[in-house]
Amino acid sequence: MNLMMSGLDCHGAPIELRERLAFSKESAVELLQWLRQQPGVEGCVLLSTCNRTELYLSGSEEAPWRLLCRGANVPETELEPYFTTRAGTDAAKHLIEVACGLHSQIVGEDQIITQVRTAMEIAQEAKTADPALSALFRRAVTAGKRARTEVHVTRGVPSMGTRCRDVLTRELGELNGKKILVIGNGQMGRLAAELLQQAGAHVQVTLRTYRHGETVVPAGCDTVAYDKRAAAMEGIDALVSATTSPHYTITLEQLASVKQPPKVAVDLAVPRDIDPACAAILRCFDADTLGVGDDACSREELKNMEEIAREELEKFRQWQRRQSAPARPLRFPLFLDLTGKTVVLVGGGTIASRRIGTLRLFGCKIVVISPELKSKADGITWIQRPYRSGDLEGAFMAIAATGDREVNHQVGEEARRLGIPVSVADCEAECNFYFPAICTGEDLVAGVVSSGKEHHKTARAAREIRKVLEGME
């Protein structure tokens, strides 16, 4: 599987360069469909946000950044120094870390999760997301959700919206009673307006005429027609703009026509909404000059998010291994008498607990080796410590069911050296027997396994077989 990505972001490329590779949904679809027609390209997904533009390709031998520049009609030589290209596992690792917020301008911000999901949805709509990229982006979204829900961010949810509020508070003092115009009613504009209104500001939000349904603005905010935005700037304290427009929403000429212009502006858009020349009249902060706030993640939060990213990357790599595994013949069912035999099970989590429950039906001696045991049952021997080499001596059968890939691998290696059957829960290729879904009836037992790729079929077949066995007399 040839996976590659090229990208530039706020950490290495200034906004005046990034905005040349900023894409609306419509332009992204057009670019993706063009890319899909290029030689060798099997799939493509474009992640385009205020802070980054990244192109993910599968199948192509050509550097993604070259195709991106060609498709966007921008000079390759001018932007080449700002791109970073990654391949294979490095590319997958980077996307998953991005979705966790580890590479965001505000580390840990959660808007990136929606942006990664949207990138995948746009590619699926354009019919350019192949199975490999779809699986990778789904895994990245899962990682982002876990980072948001499992990592306790005591300072609250950081975002460009909170940074906007904090900068305006620093520039204007308390926001209570301040008059602020927000241009743009998309996700970012609504978030900024809501936070500013909650801080006590009197907020107006611009509206265009939409064809689909009603436009919702945050509670407590007033509205003004988009084409009346210049007049609405008269006498306000601050201006915020956050649209997806390819053109300036505020020009120097418009601002100069205002007798009492705002003192400060925040431009959250890329490409920029506010003409940089407006800096001659007001103090303007863009996505890069908002600066670093006091909402940085703690070292512990970073460590936890990095661990989540590693876990989800490993799950994606397991998916890759399953796809590339050669087709195998059907597995021969073999029924063994385990009465009095010793079965060593390494692991104490959910999967291990299910294995214990099944094995107890067959009269074997169950030895569990794990520092912790989720489900303690009568009649088993629990050795409360990590696995050690030599633990399988004297065992008739072994099962590796920990959450640690390396430990499971070591158990499989020892079992094969001893010549005993072993089931490795997280790696089909390391098994020499496959733990079945067990179905029992009166004096009857059936086991169901799949080829390793169709686990849902195994579960469905087992349910149906159980119904048959339970109904037999």
Side-chain angles (χ1 to χ4, degrees), residues 197-208:
Q197 192 277 333
Q198 290 173 354
H202 175 68
V203 180
Q204 285 186 298
V205 179
T206 63
L207 292 183
R208 293 178 183 266

Side-chain angles (χ1 to χ4, degrees), residues 1-5 35-36 38-45 55-62 64 67 128-134 136:
M1 186 182 302
N2 185 19
L3 172 66
M4 294 181 69
M5 67 77 60
L35 286 166
R36 184 63 181 83
Q38 303 312 300
V41 175
E42 297 174 4
C44 49
V45 181
L55 175 62
Y56 291 80
L57 297 179
S58 61
S60 175
E61 297 293 337
E62 189 168 5
L67 288 173
T128 66
D130 69 340
L133 288 174
S134 294
L136 172 58

Side-chain angles (χ1 to χ4, degrees), residues 167-458:
V167 166
L168 290 181
T169 301
R170 186 185 70 205
E171 293 294 310
L172 301 175
E174 289 298 322
L175 297 181
N176 190 43
K178 295 294 192 298
K179 298 177 181 179
I180 302 175
L181 174 66
V182 176
I183 301 176
N185 191 44
Q187 181 184 21
M188 183 67 74
R190 289 196 301 272
L191 174 61
E194 182 176 10
L195 291 170
L196 293 169
Q197 192 277 333
Q198 290 173 354
H202 175 68
V203 180
Q204 285 186 298
V205 179
T206 63
L207 292 183
R208 293 178 183 266
T209 300
Y210 290 93
R211 289 180 295 178
H212 301 292
E214 295 182 357
T215 302
V216 178
V217 298
C221 297
D222 294 328
T223 61
V224 61
Y226 177 78
D227 58 5
K228 303 294 184 183
R229 62 193 182 283
M233 285 191 291
E234 188 69 53
I236 65 172
D237 296 289
L239 168 69
V240 177
S241 194
T243 78
T244 58
S245 171
H247 310 293
Y248 292 137
T249 58
I250 297 296
T251 64
L252 178 59
E253 181 181 2
Q254 289 171 317
L255 188 63
S257 69
V258 179
K259 293 180 180 179
Q260 293 182 314
K263 303 177 182 68
V264 61
V266 175
D267 189 343
L268 296 172
V270 178
R272 286 169 290 185
D273 278 347
I274 302 174
D275 184 349
C278 291
I281 296 177
L282 50 64
R283 182 165 172 76
C284 187
F285 296 87
D286 60 30
D288 286 356
T289 59
L290 285 179
V292 177
D294 59 0
D295 48 15
C297 281
S298 68
R299 182 174 298 180
E300 185 65 22
E301 288 169 343
L302 285 173
K303 179 181 177 182
N304 291 339
M305 287 192 287
E306 288 167 353
E307 179 59 28
I308 288 170
R310 281 192 292 271
E311 291 174 1
E312 297 302 326
L313 174 62
E314 178 55 33
K315 291 176 183 177
F316 174 67
R317 294 180 66 187
Q318 290 174 19
W319 179 89
Q320 287 182 306
R321 288 193 289 269
R322 289 196 298 271
Q323 304 311 302
S324 60
R328 295 186 177 187
L330 291 174
R331 293 159 180 173
F332 180 76
L334 183 65
F335 293 87
L336 301 174
D337 182 3
L338 296 183
T339 305
K341 304 291 196 307
T342 298
V343 178
V344 175
L345 191 156
V346 181
T350 301
I351 295 177
S353 297
R354 290 203 298 263
R355 299 290 188 261
I356 291 169
T358 299
L359 289 169
R360 292 183 69 204
L361 300 172
F362 297 96
C364 54
K365 297 178 181 178
I366 305 171
V367 178
V368 179
I369 300 173
S370 177
E372 297 180 354
L373 184 56
K374 183 174 182 178
S375 178
K376 300 177 180 64
D378 295 335
I380 68 171
T381 300
W382 177 25
I383 301 176
Q384 192 174 1
R385 61 165 173 78
Y387 161 81
R388 299 172 187 165
S389 179
D391 279 344
L392 304 188
E393 290 289 344
F396 178 79
M397 179 185 295
I399 298 169
T402 76
D404 188 316
R405 172 86 281 273
E406 183 57 31
V407 171
N408 289 344
H409 176 72
Q410 291 173 8
V411 173
E413 287 288 296
E414 181 177 357
R416 283 185 288 276
R417 284 196 304 272
L418 295 173
I420 63 175
V422 62
S423 172
V424 181
D426 64 351
C427 186
E428 173 195 359
E430 295 179 4
C431 298
N432 55 24
F433 92 90
Y434 305 92
F435 207 98
I438 295 294
C439 313
T440 59
E442 187 174 353
D443 296 325
L444 293 172
V445 62
V448 185
V449 296
S450 71
S451 65
K453 297 182 180 180
E454 302 288 350
H455 300 296
H456 64 286
K457 288 185 179 179
T458 301

